[in-house]
Amino acid sequence: MNFIGKGIPKIDGISIATGKPVYTEDLVMANALVVKILRSPHAFAKITSIDTAQAENLPGVACILTHRDVPKIRFTLAGQSYPEPSPYDRYILDEMVRYVGDEVAIIAAVDEKTAVKAMHLIKVEYEVFEPVLDFEKAEGHPSVVHPEDDLHCNFDIGLNKDKNIASSKYVEIGDVEEELKKCDVVVEETYYTQAQAHAMMETYRAFSYLDHSGRLVVVSSTQIPFHVRRQLARALQIPASRIRVVKPRIGGGFGGKQTGAVEVFAAIVTLKTGQPAKIIYDRKETFTCTTSRHAMRLKVRLGADLDGTIRALDIQGLSDTGAYGEHAPTVFSVVGEKTLPLYNKTKAVRFLGNAVYTNKMPAGALRGYGATQGTFALECTVNKLAQKLGMDPAEIRLKNLIRQGETSLPYQGKLLGSSTLDKCIETGKNLIGWQEKYPSQEVGSNKVRAVGMAVTMQGSGIAGIDTASAEIRLHDEGNYTLLIGSTDMGTGSDTILAQMAAEVLETSLENIIVNAADTDVSPYDPGSYASSTTYVTGMAVVRAAEDLKKQILEHGAKFLEISPAEVEFDGKTLQTLDGNKAIGLRELAPLLVLGTGKQQLVGTATYGSDVSPPPFIAGFAEVEVDKETGKVDLLDYVAVVDCGTVINSNLARIQVEGGIVQGIGMALYEDVRYDQKGNLLTNSFMQYKIPCRKDIGTVRVAFEESFEPTGPFGAKSIGEVVINTPAPAIAHAVFNAVGVQVTTLPITPEKVFMGMGMEKAK
Amino acid sequence: MQIEAIINNKKVAWEIENDELLADTLRAKGLLSIRQGCDTSCCGLCTVWIEGKPTLSCTTLSFRINGKNVTTIEGIQEEAAAFAQVLVAEGADQCGFCSPGFIMTVLAMKNELKNPAEEEIIHYLTGNLCRCTGYMGQLRAVKKYLGVE
Ligand code: FES
Ligand code: FES
């Protein structure tokens, strides 16, 4: 292998690091109108009157749009393949406003100051309703968040709008209640996970203009160019063929940019005025008016034999999708899908519950996509089982977990293609020093150190749905362009896909131009989400490269006047097996493209997988807890990863480190608070604390490679699975330190301190 | 109002608004490496040097640079690239949105601290947030670049 497994620098690394103008805002034309949004101050209200006359008369204002000016067609902003499972429950602007920050009017003006001034001149009157703020009281609440008649679902997701239920799920394999009755021990607990913010450093932004043929061009910091094109076509009621979506470099996404946040507002201004328009959200808008992780309540019941064999698993969930249902049914389903298969000695498993509408900011996709919430609940419960049985938590997992070549109830007979999770656990135990440190030791002055652990799985792409295409063109100079529609958001996927192509074509990385993503040019790709790019797009790239290589051999053979079977190609030269005749690619390529061959070669492939092979992680945390204050310091975190074959060792490591730290944030710091009226209080980095350099201790990463038979070069995914273990592993370590089981994230000093007080009282 | 300053070693005379912020002025003048991640002085993305000292351009009023030397990463491309190479070799550049501000802070630290210990490095850089990398790779790169253990 020349490229696979190597720590190759990112192809865009030097440019982005040294500040080159490559992001959306850097590319905006100078005369673009500035777009601002007037937002609802109420959590739930109906606009009874809206007067824009004064604002419109302000010099420099190009247009003001209200609910009277937009197509009355409902759509979803969730970036999902058609037909989207998310309900079509929003207009561009609606008469009803459903959370504090919901859009009331769109203002476009020559500059920021004018736009803001105009915004203040708009007079709105509201009829205010009692909002639904507590998601546990949403079902059957007298206020109905979506009373409208034209709400549409592409298929049955269990929506019951009169009861504020956005979607509903029930899966059971075997008879859970029956099996639980037979179990020697049953442990039960209810957990709450918070509406984590993505907090990518580049906030949401896009700009739009009409091109030379009058088509709408939208340049956006998005993970989903093709889905955005489809959303815009529906929302604006123009043919998709009249829309082009371009993705430049992205300053982080984490799933946030898998939901169309801003594109439609710039686009409608451009359509109405004919002028270029840009919209850039500030940090507060990003915190309060986009999407977050779905907050959930998860009740787990787990039944086991006395020897620790897990026999029955029941997870009953409630998910807060906020004001709109973006990703509501799918995030919720993933809670069960990525937890129930993990322990496969079960005789019955069940996952059920609802996602409910509330009058808060909508939830959406965030790295982990339900698996994070599910892992916290399940793994805390498994740790509780170990505690109850007096068993080592690592042993109890090794005893129960699914192994390579085995099946699991939810897999319905399908076999797990690859896993080294058992090795990940062993390696992790050694690295953290489990033997010596478990469960805890006093270290003096009221401090105690302890370790904890958790394991997790995710998927690689969405089985049977994600389908990506790739094209590779041979140019007249013997170099290539790799065309893909996936969206490198900093992950380095453009680089690793080029590595795969270079490996097959036996060429150098410099010889491959990567072009992504532009809906006019790129082959279709759903975009980079659901841990799909390495696995799904990667396989398309490998096959396109193989296709092209075959064509090069065939055409080379023609020029050498011999059968393709008797020619070999080493990336530079085509040569007959007997070595008598040869032609260099540098000679062949121009002949094909501009000479007698008359055929430019293009390798193409489309790939989708009917399985979604899970990557695995074993995570281990060591904490120090101050018994006087409840303060938790994370000292050390060890993550051992099975992502199949590692395609790029450096980029994979950073993905893990970054994901672990985002998980640490969710575990310890990232608190989400609303006031009584539905205002989000944690709307800046002052209130919403993401980890800084001092907050994380040491994060150590190791790989235990497996080989996934269905993946490119044996690879699976890595992008999402990395965020799942910190919350349960840290919670476990805190329990081992001071005997307090924190079941509501984040694990703040107050909760630990209060918990210690309750322990003492007992 | 009019201000005169030296931006990346070039004398400029700029017409600015009284309440204009330096980050906006610099971007408007084409220095597009200036990025902003917040509006509460929390992220460090907008870091430039004023008289060689790392400063948040998002909360500095533009008139304050009157008569001063301002350096952005555009002005020290060679030095920046030397560190960027180490950073990129480590794989510690992800989305890169935080990188210019981070690199300006790292280079200022190099000028300011001799052989800093790990805690000093972390302390100096703590105002530079990064949501992608988890900081460990950045730390490895900084230590390699400074040649410290
Ligand atoms: S933009 Fe965040 S500190 Fe300046
Ligand atoms: S690399 Fe994305 S924020 Fe630092």
Side-chain angles (χ1 to χ4, degrees):
Chain A
M1 295 276 174
N2 290 321
F3 297 99
I4 302 304
K6 305 271 158 49
I8 288 168
K10 264 170 46 155
I11 55 179
D12 52 356
I14 294 292
S15 292
I16 61 174
T18 55
K20 297 296 187 296
V22 293
Y23 300 89
T24 301
E25 190 186 3
D26 306 337
L27 308 175
V28 182
M29 49 280 281
N31 62 340
L33 295 171
V34 174
V35 179
K36 291 273 160 198
I37 308 286
L38 175 66
R39 300 183 176 282
S40 168
H42 305 293
F44 195 25
K46 185 174 171 184
I47 298 169
T48 51
S49 86
I50 180 160
D51 177 1
T52 58
Q54 246 188 309
E56 270 161 18
N57 286 335
L58 191 71
V61 171
C63 76
I64 311 254
L65 305 174
T66 70
H67 64 88
R68 295 185 292 256
D69 305 307
V70 303
K72 289 289 174 288
I73 296 286
R74 292 203 185 266
F75 61 97
T76 178
L77 289 170
Q80 302 181 301
S81 295
Y82 183 82
E84 304 94 334
S86 299
Y88 290 179
D89 57 5
R90 62 162 84 228
Y91 293 145
I92 299 173
L93 296 170
D94 201 339
E95 209 175 356
M96 299 289 287
V97 283
R98 296 183 176 81
Y99 72 100
V100 175
D102 209 350
E103 296 86 12
V104 171
I106 303 169
I107 300 110
V110 289
D111 57 32
E112 174 115 13
K113 272 189 183 162
T114 312
V116 172
K117 207 164 168 193
M119 184 152 79
H120 294 311
L121 292 173
I122 300 173
K123 294 192 196 92
V124 194
E125 277 166 37
Y126 300 91
E127 181 187 350
V128 179
F129 308 121
E130 172 74 26
V132 183
L133 295 176
D134 180 349
F135 79 118
E136 296 185 272
K137 296 190 181 132
E139 272 178 60
H141 194 285
S143 293
V144 174
V145 180
H146 282 274
E148 67 272 14
D149 294 327
D150 57 346
L151 190 154
H152 170 80
C153 296
N154 285 319
F155 47 86
D156 184 19
I157 54 170
L159 181 135
N160 181 346
K161 65 186 169 68
D162 298 331
K163 287 190 149 174
N164 288 321
I165 295 172
S167 74
S168 176
K169 181 89 186 170
Y170 189 103
V171 274
E172 181 169 17
I173 306 159
D175 187 335
V176 162
E177 296 299 341
E178 225 14 72
E179 289 302 328
L180 280 172
K181 272 186 216 151
K182 290 191 224 154
C183 289
D184 298 328
V185 282
V186 174
V187 279
E188 180 182 322
E189 190 64 74
T190 301
Y191 304 90
Y192 291 84
T193 60
Q194 78 275 44
Q196 187 183 25
H198 307 85
M200 70 296 274
M201 282 298 132
E202 183 200 35
T203 58
Y204 297 88
R205 54 202 53 205
F207 69 95
S208 54
Y209 60 94
L210 300 179
D211 74 2
H212 57 278
S213 61
R215 293 170 71 231
L216 175 70
V217 183
V218 178
V219 180
S220 173
S221 178
T222 181
Q223 295 172 234
I224 46 160
F226 284 93
H227 295 333
V228 165
R229 184 177 66 175
R230 196 178 61 254
Q231 287 169 3
L232 292 176
R234 182 175 169 89
L236 299 166
Q237 291 290 292
I238 57 174
S241 61
R242 302 290 295 162
I243 305 172
R244 173 184 179 192
V245 179
V246 180
K247 175 224 73 116
R249 292 294 98 189
I250 308 177
F254 311 116
K257 294 171 183 174
Q258 192 198 339
T259 303
V262 293
E263 294 86 352
V264 72
F265 303 122
I268 194 170
V269 167
T270 291
L271 285 188
K272 296 269 181 189
T273 63
Q275 295 182 58
K278 69 169 170 182
I279 183 160
I280 295 176
Y281 272 10
D282 61 23
R283 182 57 62 185
K284 188 174 164 202
E285 280 177 304
T286 297
F287 270 119
T288 54
C289 313
T290 58
T291 54
S292 68
R293 190 184 289 288
H294 287 79
M296 290 190 194
R297 179 190 73 200
L298 297 170
K299 177 177 162 189
V300 184
R301 289 189 299 160
L302 180 155
D305 296 343
L306 271 185
D307 68 355
T309 308
I310 299 170
R311 292 302 184 192
L313 254 178
D314 185 34
I315 304 181
Q316 303 186 12
L318 184 70
S319 172
D320 185 353
T321 193
Y324 299 96
E326 268 90 23
H327 302 275
T330 37
V331 166
F332 192 62
S333 298
V334 167
V335 173
E337 277 164 27
K338 307 302 180 200
T339 51
L340 298 181
L342 195 50
Y343 300 114
N344 72 342
K345 314 294 179 281
T346 47
K347 292 181 172 158
V349 295
R350 181 168 68 177
F351 174 64
L352 66 93
N354 297 328
V356 291
Y357 284 122
T358 58
N359 292 112
K360 289 187 287 185
M361 183 173 83
L366 202 168
R367 194 180 211 174
Y369 205 86
T372 313
Q373 294 94 317
T375 299
F376 177 64
L378 173 63
E379 289 300 284
C380 284
T381 313
V382 173
N383 286 329
K384 196 169 168 173
L385 174 70
Q387 162 75 13
K388 187 156 184 173
L389 295 175
M391 287 181 71
D392 184 318
E395 286 314 306
I396 215 162
R397 289 184 169 86
L398 287 168
K399 191 179 184 84
N400 285 288
L401 59 88
I402 183 171
R403 313 251 169 167
Q404 183 169 311
E406 293 181 358
T407 188
S408 186
L409 283 184
Y411 283 175
Q412 304 189 325
K414 276 191 188 164
L415 303 181
L416 180 66
S418 60
S419 170
T420 54
L421 182 55
D422 49 342
K423 280 195 212 159
C424 294
I425 293 174
E426 295 296 353
T427 304
K429 277 175 70 180
N430 288 335
L431 285 172
I432 200 87
W434 188 258
Q435 230 56 24
E436 310 84 68
K437 292 177 181 166
Y438 176 78
S440 67
Q441 76 231 91
E442 297 283 339
V443 288
S445 60
N446 261 310
K447 300 231 168 117
V448 53
R449 286 186 184 178
V451 290
M453 71 167 295
V455 301
T456 189
M457 61 181 276
Q458 193 83 30
S460 304
I462 308 172
I465 290 179
D466 280 347
T467 307
S469 296
E471 286 175 32
I472 309 180
R473 247 180 239 159
L474 174 64
H475 295 295
D476 58 340
E477 299 201 338
N479 59 346
Y480 306 93
T481 294
L482 168 63
L483 295 119
I484 42 178
S486 58
T487 46
D488 189 335
M489 69 199 97
T491 52
S493 62
D494 284 355
T495 303
I496 64 156
L497 294 173
Q499 282 177 249
M500 292 184 196
E503 189 72 48
V504 174
L505 292 164
E506 298 184 65
T507 189
S508 66
L509 270 194
E510 295 71 48
N511 217 25
I512 297 181
I513 302 156
V514 181
N515 182 292
D518 175 343
T519 57
D520 271 12
V521 179
S522 312
Y524 178 82
D525 194 294
S528 291
Y529 61 85
S531 293
S532 63
T533 303
T534 301
Y535 179 74
V536 180
T537 312
M539 205 58 168
V541 168
V542 167
R543 293 199 175 169
E546 284 168 351
D547 178 40
L548 179 58
K549 193 172 182 180
K550 193 165 138 249
Q551 294 181 44
I552 291 171
L553 275 168
E554 281 166 9
H555 286 268
K558 244 190 240 166
F559 277 97
L560 297 174
E561 295 170 320
I562 197 162
S563 88
E566 288 170 76
V567 182
E568 57 186 4
F569 176 49
D570 66 359
K572 286 203 175 83
T573 310
L574 291 114
Q575 185 168 315
T576 55
L577 292 181
D578 58 20
N580 285 340
K581 283 201 262 179
I583 181 170
L585 188 65
R586 287 288 273 119
E587 283 83 50
L588 178 65
L591 287 173
L592 287 167
V593 178
L594 29 101
T596 53
K598 293 195 188 64
Q599 184 167 16
Q600 179 162 22
L601 303 187
V602 184
T604 62
T606 297
Y607 184 76
S609 176
D610 53 10
V611 290
S612 175
F616 296 97
I617 288 189
F620 294 82
E622 182 178 9
V623 300
E624 184 174 283
V625 183
D626 185 329
K627 289 198 277 188
E628 227 139 63
T629 61
K631 184 164 182 293
V632 178
D633 280 321
L634 181 63
L635 303 177
D636 192 14
Y637 201 93
V638 167
V640 189
V641 185
D642 163 19
C643 59
T645 301
V646 174
I647 302 290
N648 184 316
S649 51
N650 286 356
L651 299 183
R653 175 173 305 273
I654 299 291
Q655 279 275 62
V656 183
E657 290 171 351
I660 294 293
V661 168
Q662 219 170 16
I664 291 169
M666 184 175 173
L668 291 173
Y669 308 113
E670 298 179 27
D671 213 352
V672 180
R673 290 189 312 274
Y674 280 87
D675 72 8
Q676 302 284 322
K677 296 200 160 142
N679 294 294
L680 182 72
L681 298 173
T682 45
N683 60 10
S684 81
F685 285 131
M686 307 266 244
Q687 288 91 13
Y688 187 89
K689 296 279 185 194
I690 66 169
C692 75
R693 259 162 245 274
K694 284 183 177 166
D695 293 331
I696 53 170
T698 311
V699 178
R700 294 185 287 153
V701 174
F703 291 92
E704 285 293 349
E705 290 186 73
S706 63
F707 188 91
E708 170 53 41
T710 64
F713 302 100
K716 300 187 278 193
S717 80
I718 193 162
E720 291 186 277
V721 69
V722 291
I723 202 169
N724 297 342
T725 60
I730 292 170
H732 188 211
V734 170
F735 175 82
N736 289 332
V738 291
V740 177
Q741 173 72 56
V742 179
T743 52
T744 301
L745 293 176
I747 305 163
T748 56
E750 297 79 41
K751 288 177 199 164
V752 177
F753 185 77
M754 301 289 278
M756 286 190 296
M758 305 228 293
E759 279 302 302
K760 269 194 207 127
K762 272 191 216 162
Chain B
M1 67 186 288
Q2 244 228 356
I3 54 164
E4 287 180 16
I6 298 171
I7 311 284
N8 295 332
N9 288 325
K10 284 217 180 72
K11 261 202 176 142
V12 300
W14 285 344
E15 190 56 43
I16 56 155
E17 302 281 329
N18 293 347
D19 58 350
E20 207 170 307
L21 291 165
L22 183 57
D24 298 329
T25 306
L26 292 173
R27 274 198 75 90
K29 297 294 175 192
L31 294 159
L32 298 178
S33 73
I34 312 299
R35 321 214 187 285
Q36 283 185 257
C38 72
D39 24 42
T40 48
S41 309
C42 293
C43 75
L45 264 63
C46 61
T47 305
V48 299
W49 297 349
I50 299 180
E51 298 299 337
K53 286 252 164 343
T55 309
L56 300 178
S57 63
C58 70
T59 37
T60 304
L61 285 162
S62 299
F63 74 77
R64 294 213 177 271
I65 65 162
N66 197 20
K68 300 234 167 86
N69 261 298
V70 177
T71 311
T72 71
I73 203 167
E74 282 92 345
I76 45 165
Q77 282 285 294
E78 238 171 76
E79 244 183 302
F83 174 62
Q85 241 135 34
V86 185
L87 188 72
V88 171
E90 194 61 49
D93 55 318
Q94 281 234 320
C95 79
F97 209 68
C98 68
S99 298
F102 173 65
I103 292 182
M104 291 307 284
T105 315
V106 168
L107 297 180
M109 175 177 70
K110 187 184 174 223
N111 295 336
E112 217 173 292
L113 307 180
K114 297 290 156 246
N115 282 321
E118 185 168 306
E119 299 80 72
E120 289 177 274
I121 296 175
I122 291 174
H123 183 73
Y124 197 100
L125 299 175
T126 208
N128 288 84
L129 293 179
C130 172
R131 187 59 154 170
C132 300
T133 65
Y135 304 117
M136 302 302 297
Q138 290 184 342
L139 181 63
R140 289 194 293 273
V142 169
K143 283 161 93 179
K144 271 186 198 158
Y145 174 68
L146 298 178
V148 299
E149 256 325 290

